[in-house]
């Protein structure tokens, strides 16, 4: 069941017993208020238990919109049939954080929550400024090869490109600078990362790029509006990556391509000190799993794209090693990994001193391998893309 | 007549923004309140590090005033919008004429807002089943004071019935 106004759409999802508010809900007059109210109350009367009102994708509301919601709460209170009315706001939309809590004062069964505070386990760690140098170092070693892979996977001059979970923005900016797309948008949920991206954009002097703070599971981007949509090294942090994939699909035009990359810690090899290095990455993957991060998700990407009915799927391994990458750059990245694993992750999992020391020692072994003139080591990521069927 | 305290414009403001238009534009096509609010917000929020947050706030505040003005202003009158920054606030200024029958209700409502808004009054407006009997969105303006920590000041020239309303938003709110 749907109700649309000029600038907004309300839709009901019976699976979640949830009414989704999308767009700009600035209501104009009595008639519109009455229509929306009738829509809401009709759904209300068909629901038992908990009804959710989700404002995750509602960009704006006006006073009449708020008053309509308050009338609806009064109606529900009068009917007294719901157990709970859950009001779900988004932490990136100022209005929703400031206005919606007022509804809880109108009826004790209204429960207000902000869905994207602590919405994945590792959020505090990943959305921190301290994480940015790690991403920058990764990009430094990946870009020379990934630049070519982007082209090989279908990114062409003049395309409209979206990079979802873009982190600190370096990759969208490099794309814009070097591969001549017509427009690139980078979206990330981290305030720190987006602010960094904007500074970097000014430094790069790139104009056809925009950054948005937003949520990959509820993007404020139009359907079918991009030719090429990427999501790099990010699906591993989500417990339900297919939710993100659904959004990537939605914003891709029919015939456009979706490009995702992932990790595989089993593919990190080193010599000498093979055993110490292997043990370290197994340990890191296990710790990450405790935080809901899957550091072996790369091998699952093919199946995910296939399940999503993408066509012409292409997979590549991007192998960064000590022969194709400057050793100092490789080492700088591993040092960031070491600190992130031992200090950020370690601290949040309360590792004891012994475990902490072991982890540090393992990364130090890896660093020694890299610095040895005869040492050899790899970091492999999986690059996978598919085409959205032209007919959808 | 003066309500609240007006701060002077600061030369050091990171930007200064001004735009003039006939009130009639908003009255003919009410959807323009939304367009204009979003435009002002996009322009003004540009230099804030937390741009989305700032934009969302500024658009919400501006929109409520534009909707009010669409109802309060006589059709053949000019509306000026200005915006600038002070060290601790963002100042939005709206200057326009008032319909003769609304001068008293509007100014006394603004005076109420500029004083201290009662919690009970706020919730009475939020939950009122009818649109306000007087012809402007009182709840919208109350919302800005109650939920966005906006401070309001106004200057009225009783002769010309032109009013200049100043909305001050604490920078702390914008960089929340
Ligand atoms: C491991 S980083 C990868 C960043 C970037 N793609 C890169 O490779 O440099 C994962 C990113 O996903 C972002 N993120 C996490 N959850 C998100 C969400 N729901 N919506 C948008 N971004 C999200 C994090 O803020 C972080 O920047």
């Amino acid at each position: 069941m749907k109700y649309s106004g000029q600038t907004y759409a309300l839709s009901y999802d019976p699976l979640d017993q949830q009414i989704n508010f999308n767009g700009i809900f600035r209501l104009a007059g009595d008639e519109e208020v009455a229509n929306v109210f009738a829509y809401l109350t009709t759904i209300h009367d068909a629901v038992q238990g908990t009804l959710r009102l989700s404002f995750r994708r509602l960009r704006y509301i006006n006073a009449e919109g708020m008053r309509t919601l308050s009338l609806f709460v009064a109606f529900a209170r009068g009917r007294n049939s719901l157990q709970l009315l859950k009001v779900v706001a988004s932490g990136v939309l100022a209005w929703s954080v400031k206005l919606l809590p007022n509804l809880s004062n109108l009826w004790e069964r209204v429960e207000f929550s902000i869905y994207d505070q602590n919405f994945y386990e590792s959020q505090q760690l990943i959305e921190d400024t301290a994480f940015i140098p790690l991403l920058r170092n990764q990009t430094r070693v990946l870009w020379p090869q990934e630049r070519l892979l982007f082209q090989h996977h279908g990114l062409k001059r003049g395309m409209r490109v979206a990079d979802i979970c873009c982190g600190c923005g370096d990759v969208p900016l490099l794309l814009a600078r070097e591969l001549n797309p017509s427009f690139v948008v980078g979206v990330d949920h981290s305030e720190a990362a987006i602010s960094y991206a904007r500074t970097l954009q000014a430094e790069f002097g790139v104009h056809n790029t925009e950054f948005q703070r937003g949520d990959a599971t509820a993007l404020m981007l139009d359907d079918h509006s991009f030719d090429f949509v990427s999501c790099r090294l990010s699906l591993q942090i989500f417990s339900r990556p297919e939710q993100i994939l659904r959004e990537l699909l939605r914003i891709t035009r029919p015939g456009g391509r979706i490009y995702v990359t992932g990790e595989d810690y089993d593919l990190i090899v080193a010599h000498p000190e093979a055993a110490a290095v292997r043990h370290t990455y197994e340990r890191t993957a296990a710790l990450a799993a405790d935080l809901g991060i899957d550091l072996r998700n790369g091998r699952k990407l093919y199946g995910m794209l296939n399940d999503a009915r993408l066509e012409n799927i292409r997979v590549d391994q991007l192998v960064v090693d000590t022969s194709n990458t400057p050793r100092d750059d490789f080492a700088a990245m591993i040092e960031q990994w070491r600190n992130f694993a031992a200090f950020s992750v370690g601290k949040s999992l309360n590792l004891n001193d012994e475990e902490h020391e072991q982890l540090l020692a393992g990364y130090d072994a890896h660093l020694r391998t890299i610095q040895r003139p005869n040492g050899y080591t790899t970091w492999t990521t999986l690059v996978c893309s598919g085409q959205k069927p032209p007919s959808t | 007549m003066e309500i609240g305290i007006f701060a002077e414009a600061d030369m050091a403001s990171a930007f200064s923004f001004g735009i003039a238009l006939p009130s009639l534009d908003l009255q003919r096509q009410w959807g323009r309140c939304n367009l204009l609010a979003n435009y002002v917000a996009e322009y003004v929020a540009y230099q804030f590090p937390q741009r989305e947050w700032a934009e969302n706030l500024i658009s919400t505040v501006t929109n409520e005033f534009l909707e009010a003005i669409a109802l309060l202003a006589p059709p053949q009158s000019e509306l000026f919008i200005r915006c600038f920054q002070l060290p601790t606030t963002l100042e939005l200024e709206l200057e326009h004429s008032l319909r003769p029958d609304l001068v008293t209700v509007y100014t006394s409502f603004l005076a109420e807002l500029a004083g201290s808004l009662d919690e009970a009054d706020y919730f009475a407006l939020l939950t009122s089943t009818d649109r306000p009997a007087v012809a402007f969105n009182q709840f919208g303006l109350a919302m800005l004071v109650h939920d966005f920590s906006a401070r309001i000041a106004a200057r009225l020239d009783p002769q010309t019935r032109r009013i200049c309303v100043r909305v001050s938003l604490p920078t702390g709110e914008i960089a929340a």
Side-chain angles (χ1 to χ4, degrees), chain A residues 140-159:
Chain A
R140 177 164 290 116
V141 303
L142 291 170
W143 181 247
Q145 295 183 68
E146 196 165 0
R147 178 184 190 281
L148 303 173
L149 283 171
F150 268 115
Q151 293 171 305
H152 181 59
H153 283 251
L155 201 162
K156 295 195 179 67
R157 185 186 193 90
M159 282 187 162

Side-chain angles (χ1 to χ4, degrees), chain A residues 6-7 24 26-30 32-33 58-64 66-68 70-71 90-99 102-103 105-106 191 194-195 198 210-214, chain B residues 30 33-35 37-38 41 48-57 59-61 63-64 67 119 122-123 125-132 137 139-141 143 146-149 173 176:
Chain A
Q6 266 192 356
T7 54
I24 297 181
R26 285 176 169 162
L27 302 188
D30 291 341
E32 197 175 17
V33 171
L58 192 68
R59 193 182 282 271
Y60 291 117
I61 201 167
N62 68 352
E64 277 302 277
M66 269 308 288
R67 202 171 61 80
T68 310
S70 113
L71 294 179
S90 158
V92 301
L93 298 169
W95 78 263
S96 79
V97 176
K98 298 207 172 271
L99 297 179
N102 289 309
L103 297 176
N105 293 334
L106 306 180
E191 188 73 63
I194 287 297
S195 149
R198 287 181 178 141
E210 245 176 56
F211 290 98
Q212 264 186 24
R213 185 172 175 228
Chain B
W30 185 85
C33 298
N34 173 44
L35 287 184
N38 295 348
F48 286 99
Q50 292 172 311
R51 200 184 291 168
E52 280 81 8
W53 183 269
E55 197 175 316
N56 201 280
L57 240 137
S59 173
T60 305
V61 172
N63 181 66
E64 291 307 327
E67 286 188 18
E119 199 64 10
Y122 171 84
F123 279 100
L125 289 169
L126 169 62
T127 54
S128 74
T129 41
D130 301 315
R131 277 159 77 78
N137 51 335
F139 172 60
L141 306 189
M143 188 169 102
H146 183 266
D147 299 310
F148 290 70
S149 315
E173 286 283 309

Side-chain angles (χ1 to χ4, degrees), chain A residues 119-120 126 165 167 188-190 214-216 232-234 237-238:
Chain A
F119 73 134
Y120 58 99
I126 302 250
C165 303
D188 199 279
H189 190 269
S190 156
D215 171 19
R232 304 173 49 265
L233 298 183
S234 295
I237 61 178
F238 297 99

Side-chain angles (χ1 to χ4, degrees), chain A residues 193-212:
Chain A
I194 287 297
S195 149
Y196 184 96
R198 287 181 178 141
T199 309
L200 196 63
Q201 176 172 13
E203 283 181 20
F204 274 31
V206 163
H207 298 296
N208 62 342
T209 300
E210 245 176 56
F211 290 98
Q212 264 186 24

Side-chain angles (χ1 to χ4, degrees), chain B residues 129-167:
Chain B
T129 41
D130 301 315
R131 277 159 77 78
V134 279
F136 66 95
N137 51 335
Q138 294 185 346
F139 172 60
L141 306 189
M143 188 169 102
L144 307 182
V145 172
H146 183 266
D147 299 310
F148 290 70
S149 315
R151 269 186 303 104
I152 303 226
R155 247 180 215 150
L156 172 79
D157 177 347
Q159 233 85 96
T160 58
R161 290 194 307 274
R162 277 194 80 75
I163 190 163
C164 177
V165 178
R166 208 36 114 57
V167 191

Side-chain angles (χ1 to χ4, degrees), chain A residues 159-206:
Chain A
M159 282 187 162
R160 280 175 59 81
V161 179
D163 187 33
I164 308 305
C165 303
C166 67
C168 62
D170 49 4
V171 170
L173 290 168
L174 289 164
L175 285 175
R177 198 178 68 187
E178 298 180 20
L179 300 181
N180 300 306
S182 60
F183 174 71
V184 184
V185 67
V187 180
D188 199 279
H189 190 269
S190 156
E191 188 73 63
I194 287 297
S195 149
Y196 184 96
R198 287 181 178 141
T199 309
L200 196 63
Q201 176 172 13
E203 283 181 20
F204 274 31
V206 163

